Amino acid sequence: MNIILLGPPGAGKGTQSHKLVDERGMVQLSTGDMLRAARNSGTEMGKQVAAVMDAGKLVTDEIVIGLIAEQLDTNPKGTSFIFDGFPRTLAQADALGELLASKGKKLTHVIEMRVDDDALVARITGRFTCGNCGAVYHDATKQPAKDNTCDSCGTEGNFKRRADDNEDSLRTRLMAYYRDTSPLIGYYYAKGLLSRVDGLGEIDQVASDLSAILAD
Ligand code: AP5
């Protein structure tokens, strides 16, 4: 099974990917996480993309396609992938199709997560994540059970907030989503791969709706 979670910033792609990894042993390929890791480790590419990401603009197709190609090469043959935040342009979608075909793999589901823009602002500005394992939390809707300690890995006092999680960057990220990424909805619908979930529901409800789609 190889799936794409498609949706605007804050739709819950990362949150649901983590659940699928825990419950099904799938591998999450988040180009956002890969780019942040490159920034943090100070690579030349990381330095190149930092300002672009902070402004909420899209990094070049060439860079993100290269990151995904590397992951498809290094993970074992039978791995099931969740593509989170990739593809984001039609060129990336074409490249993903070709990369998967070259490995004898194919996409099984593309799931659009729908959330109103107003809810996205509240989600993005309240988000924080575990600096160790990447588990996702929120000031109002998902606090860790034990103060200052990650529920998933138990790390204490290592929560982070993203530089692009502010209203200005979010506006740019949303424009990029509607201009460059939303055409993928029609692209995958035409291929018979598209399903939709209401991303405004409770986290567990969204997870159960996703599971129902994956069971088909
Ligand atoms: P990326 O890291 O991919 O960010 P994004 O797409 O903007 O998505 P987010 O991670 O912000 O949101 P999410 O949908 O994962 O939401 P989450 O689950 O965290 O990309 C960052 C940047 O990298 C881009 O702007 C670009 O510069 C670059 N980039 C990355 N990929 C690229 C590509 N392919 N091409 C070019 N450039 C690329 O949830 C958000 C919050 O809401 C959390 O606090 C969570 O707890 C809460 N929440 C989640 N679900 C629910 C729910 N059901 N109810 C209530 N709260 C919820």
Side-chain angles (χ1 to χ4, degrees):
M1 182 183 297
N2 298 295
I3 72 172
I4 294 174
L5 294 184
L6 189 63
K13 305 180 295 292
T15 301
Q16 296 300 331
S17 294
H18 281 266
K19 285 175 104 52
L20 290 168
V21 169
D22 289 346
E23 288 160 17
R24 295 174 181 251
M26 298 176 79
V27 168
Q28 175 196 17
L29 296 185
S30 157
T31 38
D33 287 349
M34 293 175 209
L35 292 165
R36 279 183 288 280
R39 286 180 70 162
N40 294 341
S41 57
T43 63
E44 202 43 51
M45 184 269 276
K47 287 180 201 158
Q48 249 179 55
V49 300
V52 177
M53 292 178 76
D54 289 350
K57 296 181 181 160
L58 291 186
V59 169
T60 63
D61 289 338
E62 192 190 357
I63 287 178
V64 291
I65 291 167
L67 288 170
I68 290 290
E70 204 177 299
Q71 289 299 319
L72 293 181
D73 279 343
T74 49
N75 274 281
K77 218 172 162 202
T79 306
S80 290
F81 292 107
I82 307 159
F83 296 95
D84 162 10
F86 181 92
R88 260 172 152 100
T89 63
L90 289 168
Q92 292 177 25
D94 284 340
L96 177 61
E98 285 163 22
L99 283 169
L100 287 172
S102 74
K103 307 267 170 222
K105 287 175 165 285
K106 57 180 184 169
L107 283 170
T108 51
H109 304 82
V110 177
I111 303 169
E112 182 198 356
M113 304 182 66
R114 292 192 148 185
V115 178
D116 296 343
D117 290 358
D118 289 347
L120 297 176
V121 178
R123 285 192 183 182
I124 288 291
T125 51
R127 169 168 57 187
F128 58 101
T129 56
C130 173
N132 180 48
C133 72
V136 189
Y137 297 91
H138 191 276
D139 292 326
T141 55
K142 193 173 184 294
Q143 285 280 351
K146 187 175 163 211
D147 223 18
N148 217 19
T149 305
C150 177
D151 294 343
S152 295
C153 70
T155 302
E156 275 184 60
N158 187 15
F159 290 114
K160 295 191 168 158
R161 289 183 193 263
R162 277 169 44 176
D164 59 345
D165 275 354
N166 59 71
E167 287 198 39
D168 276 352
S169 284
L170 178 59
R171 248 191 302 278
T172 309
R173 284 156 69 193
L174 273 175
M175 276 173 48
Y177 179 77
Y178 290 121
R179 186 188 55 227
D180 299 314
T181 309
S182 64
L184 299 186
I185 294 167
Y187 177 97
Y188 286 117
Y189 175 79
K191 290 180 184 288
L193 290 170
L194 189 76
S195 307
R196 295 192 165 101
V197 293
D198 176 9
L200 273 173
E202 297 280 326
I203 290 173
D204 286 343
Q205 181 59 52
V206 178
S208 135
D209 293 347
L210 277 174
S211 282
I213 290 169
L214 298 183
D216 270 354

